[in-house]
Amino acid sequence: MTNKDEVAENRLRKELPEEVPALPAVAEEPQEAAEPALTGRQRLAQGLWPPRVTRAQLIVALLLFGLGFGLAVQVASNSDSGNALRGARQEDLVRILDELDDRSQRLEDEKQGLEKQREELENSSDQAEEARKQTVEKEKQLGILAGTVAAQGPGITMTIEDTKGTVEADMLLDAIQELRAAGAEAIQVNDVRVVAGTYLTDSGDSVSVDGNKINAPFRFKVIGNPQDLEPALNIPGGVVQTLEKEQATVTVERSDKIVVDALRAAKQPDYARSSSQ
């Protein structure tokens, strides 16, 4: 060995740690006997038994059981019906088909009958509503003729100035009759409503309408077609010309809105009754 090798060996020994004396061997305790290895089937059995079932799993299992039982019953019922029909004779099948057709026809007739009743009820309801509307409208029309309700519409206003006191009741009555003949639907003289039974009388220097005294100027408010009312008053020898001969001044004005608001109390007949009662 050369000096170079010795130097290297000494340096290596200085760098390595000192050797540690080996401890005396201790006798190992005898190991327990190794358990025998389990097969795959045994491990599967241990995993399945005893069962570990949660509450949710139990509920799902019961629902699935009920669903399966219902399906089985339905299938069995359909199978029984199908088997019964397959095993039936031709005459029985024809009879069953006829019964089904009869039943379908009865149901269809019943459906049509119910639809007809519905239409009748709807029509009767509409007719009742229409009758009610017509009754209300008729009541208004009769109220206008009877003077128990106010009225408005196009017409004329006729004013008679009688400074000489020569206008008499029969002249005013002729004016009312002329206006009615021309299509007047509502007439008011001063504050008195003119109706079918209206009468006029002379009362001293004035005129009475249905017992109500009125004085000049006499103001007529008339509802009707102005194009018919005004010419009827101005015909030769008519109302206006007759009043002017008596030195009265007559003014007739057309208007799109005449309001007749003088009312009369509704009179209940003593003996007459409606024939529909």
Side-chain angles (χ1 to χ4, degrees), residues 103-119:
R103 183 177 181 184
S104 299
Q105 185 62 39
R106 288 195 301 271
L107 292 175
E108 183 65 24
D109 294 341
E110 184 177 358
K111 175 186 175 183
Q112 294 179 358
L114 292 175
E115 290 179 350
K116 184 177 180 181
Q117 291 180 3
R118 183 188 65 182
E119 292 177 357

Side-chain angles (χ1 to χ4, degrees), residues 102-200:
D102 294 340
R103 183 177 181 184
S104 299
Q105 185 62 39
R106 288 195 301 271
L107 292 175
E108 183 65 24
D109 294 341
E110 184 177 358
K111 175 186 175 183
Q112 294 179 358
L114 292 175
E115 290 179 350
K116 184 177 180 181
Q117 291 180 3
R118 183 188 65 182
E119 292 177 357
E120 291 177 353
L121 290 175
E122 291 176 352
N123 293 334
S124 63
S125 178
D126 295 340
Q127 291 175 359
E129 181 64 20
E130 183 64 25
R132 188 188 67 81
K133 292 181 180 179
Q134 292 180 3
T135 301
V136 173
E137 186 65 25
K138 192 67 174 179
E139 182 180 359
K140 292 180 180 179
Q141 295 175 1
L142 293 176
I144 292 174
L145 296 177
T148 57
V149 297
Q152 67 178 19
I156 63 170
T157 300
M158 182 175 66
T159 304
I160 302 174
E161 298 285 350
D162 182 23
T163 58
K164 302 294 183 177
T166 58
V167 177
E168 298 179 351
D170 59 342
M171 300 178 185
L172 299 182
L173 181 59
D174 290 340
I176 293 174
Q177 298 292 355
E178 196 67 42
L179 290 170
R180 284 175 174 171
E185 297 177 354
I187 303 174
Q188 176 177 333
V189 181
N190 289 14
D191 294 330
V192 181
R193 185 72 168 266
V194 177
V195 294
T198 295
Y199 61 94
L200 288 83

